[in-house]
Amino acid sequence: MPAEPARRRPGPSPRFTREHVLQTALELIDAGAPESFSMRRLADALGITAMSLYGYIKNKDELIEGATLIALAAVRDELSPDAPWQEHLRAAMREIHAVLRQHPNLATLVIGNRSRAIGLFRIRERILQTLLDAGFEETTALHALGVLSYYALGFATGQAALAGIEPEDSLPELPPEDFPRLTELARQYGEHASDQAFEFGLEQLLGGLERTRNGR
Amino acid sequence: MPAEPARRRPGPSPRFTREHVLQTALELIDAGAPESFSMRRLADALGITAMSLYGYIKNKDELIEGATLIALAAVRDELSPDAPWQEHLRAAMREIHAVLRQHPNLATLVIGNRSRAIGLFRIRERILQTLLDAGFEETTALHALGVLSYYALGFATGQAALAGIEPEDSLPELPPEDFPRLTELARQYGEHASDQAFEFGLEQLLGGLERTRNGR
DNA sequence: ACCTGAACACCGTTCAAGT
DNA sequence: ACCTGAACACCGTTCAAGT
């Protein structure tokens, strides 16, 4: 690189809002592989040095939390408040799933990061509220909350792991004599992580909850 | 147990089996935080340099796959083959859950790693076999396979994220006016990630599958 | 006040050289 | 054949100094 004059124009050196930094982070997280996101790459994308980022956020965890919050802001409950509780849960779960599908790497980062992003708790509050209003006992409601959130997060992370992989490559080569069923269904194996599979599981869970609430 | 060569070099020049390397890796993964596991630390624990590891495994992903395989070797099906399919699924899911609870950081590493550890496919084969034998249609069986595996993996990862955190610290400070229910149940919030919650969700899923198989 | 370079303490992995 | 040090191309983060 040729030596430039050490002097830098003090002119329009760009200053960002925290939101702009977080938004750029989210775009970068969406663009690459989950592990390819780094402070240094984000700084590059913004045209500043990595160290300058620390003027906007405390550390990388807080940065990911902030990006999560922005992404989750898209989750809204549009249902009328007198819709049955099953409808509310179904809608909430579908919205979470849709958002995580749009930002697949976020799911991977969040699940491994013990994220305390307040957006996650906004959704949990809403689910918990729905369950309690539906008449579930407190402990049962908390159990259901855990089941529903980890199902959504786990499934989305699983789908993210298969993103960009050809369906027929989602299975490694397996000896047919030890894996007869997987071998037989190899071509359709990708179905296990499809959106229909998510819906299928959601309906199993909602049906189960309904049965539980009606006294077994 | 290390293979003892006891020949030719003076000084500490131990040679290991691949199994010993993988076993040590698993212990190290269990011991610390998920992100604290590194090739260099593993080499330290073995008393060799990081570069020597590449004589035993191709890279870090393969190392984690190998450790996963060792851990999953503990999963066995002890049921008699004529037990009802629900019992088989329940047993398989509980065994997976138990193993992931014993190696919590492994769940985190596996879910973010698109692991192709053959041990995972051994379990999937078994679940798929059970579902097909129970009479589920192929697509439905694959959907159920995805739902069950991602539920187990997602829940275990969620529990791992809370490991070592005091139950009362599992919630960040939230404004009570926006989060009335979570605030109200803050003391019991840890319940959402308990083993009972896992069992609760498992029963919802099994009940749902049973209903599905009996024609809605 | 904001941004910087240099530095620290790490990573995974390659490679040529040593025994 | 196995292990090594040195090196490469990265990390997140701190800190004193520059503007």
Side-chain angles (χ1 to χ4, degrees):
Chain A
M1 232 164 259
E4 296 272 2
R7 227 183 91 65
R8 278 215 149 222
R9 288 207 59 220
S13 59
R15 287 238 17 250
F16 314 112
T17 59
R18 198 185 128 97
E19 267 60 43
H20 180 64
V21 171
L22 296 178
Q23 181 64 49
T24 309
L26 182 57
E27 283 160 19
L28 222 57
I29 289 171
D30 289 345
E35 71 278 13
S36 78
F37 174 74
S38 74
M39 301 294 277
R40 285 163 131 106
R41 268 192 240 266
L42 172 58
D44 268 5
L46 288 166
I48 56 180
T49 63
M51 309 77 202
S52 305
L53 289 172
Y54 292 86
Y56 300 96
I57 43 87
K58 218 175 96 242
N59 53 36
K60 197 185 184 185
D61 276 1
E62 199 189 284
L63 180 64
I64 293 174
E65 259 182 45
T68 307
L69 188 52
I70 287 190
L72 292 180
V75 176
R76 302 236 161 275
D77 192 356
E78 305 292 352
L79 286 182
S80 70
D82 55 329
W85 60 271
Q86 297 95 325
E87 278 304 316
H88 276 282
L89 288 183
R90 187 163 14 236
M93 292 290 282
R94 282 180 177 162
E95 284 165 37
I96 297 168
H97 186 243
V99 165
L100 293 178
R101 288 285 272 164
Q102 266 185 310
H103 309 284
N105 295 328
L106 204 55
T108 309
L109 290 176
V110 163
I111 209 169
N113 236 39
R114 63 189 69 178
S115 172
R116 298 167 89 72
I118 202 161
L120 291 172
F121 291 100
R122 231 177 5 94
I123 297 170
R124 289 181 185 131
E125 170 76 19
R126 176 176 147 198
I127 291 177
L128 189 57
Q129 175 93 46
T130 304
L131 288 163
L132 292 170
D133 288 355
F136 284 95
E137 195 236 329
E138 290 183 352
T139 306
T140 312
L142 284 171
H143 287 178
L145 172 64
V147 168
L148 291 169
S149 21
Y150 293 134
Y151 172 66
L153 213 47
F155 204 98
T157 310
Q159 289 185 302
L162 293 173
I165 293 186
E166 293 304 312
E168 64 265 31
D169 296 338
S170 57
L171 263 186
E173 272 198 47
L174 299 169
E177 63 273 24
D178 292 333
F179 299 89
R181 302 308 207 158
L182 284 171
T183 305
E184 198 181 310
L185 299 182
R187 274 215 320 281
Q188 308 144 65
Y189 178 68
E191 269 295 316
H192 85 281
S194 63
D195 289 345
Q196 290 101 308
F198 174 79
E199 285 287 327
F200 178 77
L202 177 54
E203 293 309 318
Q204 311 299 312
L205 287 173
L206 292 179
L209 288 177
E210 193 160 12
R211 228 186 31 203
T212 297
R213 218 219 37 172
N214 299 337
R216 195 132 278 280
Chain B
M1 222 100 49
E4 214 117 17
R7 73 181 205 83
R8 124 199 247 204
R9 288 223 64 73
S13 191
R15 287 232 22 245
F16 315 112
T17 60
R18 196 184 130 98
E19 268 58 45
H20 180 64
V21 171
L22 296 178
Q23 182 64 50
T24 309
L26 182 57
E27 284 160 19
L28 222 57
I29 288 170
D30 289 345
E35 71 277 12
S36 79
F37 173 73
S38 75
M39 301 294 276
R40 286 162 131 105
R41 268 192 240 266
L42 171 59
D44 268 5
L46 288 166
I48 58 180
T49 63
M51 308 79 203
S52 305
L53 289 172
Y54 292 85
Y56 300 96
I57 43 89
K58 217 174 98 244
N59 52 36
K60 195 185 184 185
D61 276 1
E62 200 189 284
L63 179 63
I64 293 175
E65 258 182 47
T68 307
L69 188 52
I70 287 191
L72 292 180
V75 176
R76 303 237 161 273
D77 192 356
E78 305 292 352
L79 284 182
S80 70
D82 56 328
W85 60 272
Q86 297 94 325
E87 279 305 316
H88 277 282
L89 289 183
R90 190 165 8 238
M93 290 290 282
R94 283 181 177 160
E95 284 164 38
I96 298 167
H97 186 242
V99 165
L100 293 178
R101 287 285 271 163
Q102 267 185 312
H103 309 284
N105 295 329
L106 204 55
T108 309
L109 290 175
V110 163
I111 209 170
N113 237 41
R114 61 190 69 179
S115 172
R116 298 167 89 72
I118 203 161
L120 291 172
F121 291 100
R122 230 173 11 89
I123 297 170
R124 288 180 186 132
E125 171 76 18
R126 176 175 147 199
I127 291 177
L128 189 57
Q129 175 92 48
T130 305
L131 289 163
L132 292 171
D133 288 354
F136 284 95
E137 195 236 328
E138 290 182 352
T139 306
T140 313
L142 284 172
H143 287 177
L145 173 63
V147 167
L148 291 170
S149 21
Y150 293 134
Y151 172 66
L153 212 48
F155 205 98
T157 311
Q159 288 185 301
L162 293 173
I165 293 186
E166 293 303 313
E168 64 264 30
D169 296 338
S170 58
L171 263 187
E173 273 198 48
L174 299 169
E177 63 274 23
D178 292 333
F179 299 89
R181 301 309 206 159
L182 284 171
T183 305
E184 198 181 310
L185 300 182
R187 275 214 321 279
Q188 309 145 64
Y189 178 68
E191 268 296 315
H192 85 282
S194 63
D195 289 345
Q196 290 101 308
F198 175 80
E199 284 288 327
F200 178 77
L202 177 55
E203 292 310 317
Q204 311 299 311
L205 287 174
L206 291 179
L209 287 177
E210 194 160 13
R211 228 186 32 201
T212 296
R213 218 219 37 172
N214 298 338
R216 194 130 278 279

